[in-house]
Amino acid sequence: MLSLAARLLCLRVSGCCGGSRSMATVVSGNKTSKLVRERLQGDVLRMQVQAPGFRPGLVVLQVGDRDDSNLYISSKMRAAAEIGIDARHVRLPRSATEAEVLRSVQAVNQNPAVHGLIVQLPLDAAEPIDTQNVIDAIAPAKDVDGLTSVNAGRLSRGELAGCLLPCTPSGCMELIRQTGVSVAGKHAVVIGRSKIVGAPMRDLLLWSHATVTSCHSRTHDLPEQVSRADILVAAAGKAELVRGEWLKEGALVIDCGINHVADETKPSGKRLVGDVHYASANQRAGYITPVPGGVGPMTVAMLMENTVQSAWRVLQQSQAGR
Ligand code: NAP
Ligand code: LUD
C-alpha cells in the first residue's frame, strides 16, 4: 500500500497500448530531492536559532577540469546556496601532484568552519594519483561522500548509525522508501560493485534485510540473475544494458546509469540514457526511476543531507561542551 506522500511523488502513467497492462509508476528524483532540500533549509534555519551566525560548511575539491565534474559540482553549489550551506569550490590544476592534493585535504580537515569535504571523482590529473590514498586523507567525521575506508568499513559491518552514507546509494534508498515497497525479505539484485555505488548499495540493501545478489562484469547469465530481482539497482555504466524482458513482472527498478548516446535529432547530437532500456522496462516494472531526473538529483540532495548531519553533530558537541 502506498503512503499518500508516495502516491504524490510517484507519477502513475496509465494504460499502455492495447490496455493489457498499465505502465510502471515513475519514481521522480526531481520531486523527492526537492522535498529533501526544503527540509534541510528548515534545519539550517533551526541551527541559526540555536547558534546565531552558525552555518554548515562544505568544500568540494576538484582536480582538473572535466566537463561532467563541472556540471555536477555546479548542481551541488546551487543546492548548497539554496539551503544556506556555506559551500566553497576549490580547484586544483591538472598539474597538481598527489602531495599537493593531500595538503589541500589536510588544510580543510583542520578548518573548524568546514563540516564536510568531498573530492570530486575521477581525478583529472596529468600525473597518476592514488585516489583511495587521497580519499582516506579526509577526516572520517567530514567525509560527507562516505567514501573513506573507515566509513565504508562501518557500513559493510552494518554500523549504520556511526557512519556517513555514500550519497548515490543513500539517494537510491530514499527513492525506494518513497515507493512504500518494503525491502526486508525481498530479493535485491545490484549490478556493479564500485566503491561509490555498487558496493555500498549492496551493503545498504543487506542491512535493510534484503537478500542481495551482487553482479559484475564476470557474472554469468545476467538476464537470469536480473529475472529474480524484486528490487533491481543498475550501476554498470553501460547504456541500456538491462532489457525490459529480463525483469520480473512488477519489479522496482532503480537506474543509476548516466550514459551519453549519439542522437542526431538533438541539437547537442547526444542524449542521456540509463543502464536500463527505459521503454521496454516501463512495460514490465512496477516502479522505475527515469534518467535524467531520477538518481542524479538525489545524489546532490544526499550530499546536502550529510553536510547538515555533520554540522549538527559539531554544533551539538560544541553546545554540550559549554
Ligand atoms: P564503475 O566504477 O565503472 O563500475 C561499474 C561496475 O559495473 C563494475 O563493478 C563492473 O564490473 C560492472 N559492470 C560493467 N559492465 C558490466 C556488465 N556488462 N555486466 C555486469 N556488470 C558490469 O562505475 P560507477 O562509478 O559505479 O558508475 C556506474 C554508473 O552509474 C555510471 O553510468 C555512472 O555514470 C553512474 N553514476 C551515477 C551517479 C548518479 O548520481 N546518478 C553516481 C555515480 C555513478 P567489474 O567490477 O567486474 O569491473
Ligand atoms: N565523485 C560523484 N563523481 C561522479 N544528474 C556525482 C552525479 C549529479 N566524490 C564524488 O556527484 O557523488 C560523487 N562524489 N558523483 N555524480 C556522479 C558521480 C563523484 C551524477 C549525476 C548528477 C551528480 C545529476 O544531477 C542529472 C540527472 O540525472 O537528472 C542530469 C545531469 C546531466 O548530465 O544532464
Side-chain angles (χ1 to χ4, degrees):
M1 188 57 189
L2 279 179
S3 66
L4 178 61
R7 264 178 284 164
L8 287 171
L9 287 169
C10 304
L11 175 68
R12 189 88 206 166
V13 183
S14 62
C16 73
C17 30
S20 54
R21 193 194 179 280
S22 64
M23 292 209 260
T25 296
V26 179
V27 188
S28 168
N30 282 338
K31 290 184 189 170
T32 306
S33 65
K34 185 160 187 284
L35 289 187
V36 172
R37 295 194 310 268
E38 283 166 1
R39 172 168 54 74
L40 295 174
Q41 230 167 11
D43 279 353
V44 172
L45 289 175
R46 270 187 294 283
M47 276 177 183
Q48 287 168 344
V49 170
Q50 271 193 32
F54 183 89
R55 281 174 85 192
L58 170 68
V59 166
V60 178
L61 181 60
Q62 180 182 17
V63 179
D65 191 29
R66 283 175 61 109
D67 288 343
D68 57 352
S69 297
N70 292 339
L71 180 72
Y72 304 149
I73 293 171
S74 65
S75 301
K76 292 174 185 183
M77 302 305 285
R78 240 190 343 268
E82 183 189 297
I83 291 166
I85 293 171
D86 183 12
R88 200 155 56 90
H89 179 186
V90 174
R91 284 170 173 276
L92 295 180
R94 287 194 77 241
S95 58
T97 62
E98 184 166 327
E100 283 164 349
V101 180
L102 288 170
R103 268 199 297 279
S104 295
V105 168
Q106 278 144 10
V108 178
N109 282 343
Q110 281 157 17
N111 182 347
V114 182
H115 310 102
L117 163 61
I118 74 163
V119 177
Q120 189 71 23
L121 300 176
L123 300 172
D124 176 28
E127 299 286 316
I129 293 183
D130 181 338
T131 298
Q132 196 56 42
N133 201 29
V134 168
I135 295 295
D136 280 333
I138 299 171
K142 297 191 181 189
D143 171 27
V144 284
D145 248 341
L147 297 179
T148 56
S149 299
V150 169
N151 276 312
R154 286 178 183 148
L155 171 58
S156 76
R157 292 172 169 204
E159 294 158 10
L160 270 69
C163 68
L164 287 157
L165 300 176
C167 303
T168 303
S170 172
C172 294
M173 291 305 295
E174 191 65 42
L175 290 173
I176 293 171
R177 273 191 288 279
Q178 286 299 336
T179 66
V181 170
S182 66
V183 174
K186 296 285 165 52
H187 190 166
V189 173
V190 179
I191 308 179
R193 55 178 168 181
S194 68
K195 291 189 175 92
I196 191 165
V197 193
M201 190 70 231
R202 169 205 62 208
D203 294 341
L204 277 174
L205 287 163
L206 178 65
W207 294 109
S208 301
H209 312 300
T211 301
V212 189
T213 300
S214 255
C215 299
H216 44 77
S217 64
R218 310 281 185 94
T219 296
H220 287 293
D221 204 351
L222 188 64
E224 164 67 16
Q225 297 299 338
V226 168
S227 72
R228 298 172 201 264
D230 302 304
I231 300 170
L232 175 72
V233 180
K238 295 280 177 287
E240 301 179 326
L241 169 72
V242 176
R243 313 299 300 184
E245 310 80 78
W246 299 5
L247 299 173
K248 184 190 267 194
E249 192 82 39
L252 194 174
V253 177
I254 305 284
D255 189 353
C256 298
I258 301 273
N259 309 292
H260 291 277
V261 294
D263 183 344
E264 268 130 45
T265 69
K266 304 278 176 200
S268 62
K270 58 183 187 175
R271 154 175 77 91
L272 203 58
V273 299
D275 288 349
V276 176
H277 184 263
Y278 188 83
S280 59
N282 200 9
Q283 308 276 323
R284 205 154 161 113
Y287 300 89
I288 190 165
T289 61
V291 177
V295 174
M298 292 305 294
T299 297
V300 176
M302 300 326 275
L303 174 65
M304 302 302 128
E305 166 100 54
N306 282 349
T307 305
V308 169
Q309 185 188 316
S310 175
W312 268 126
R313 202 162 285 167
V314 169
L315 186 59
Q316 274 153 5
Q317 280 162 1
S318 76
Q319 295 194 331
R322 270 199 282 151

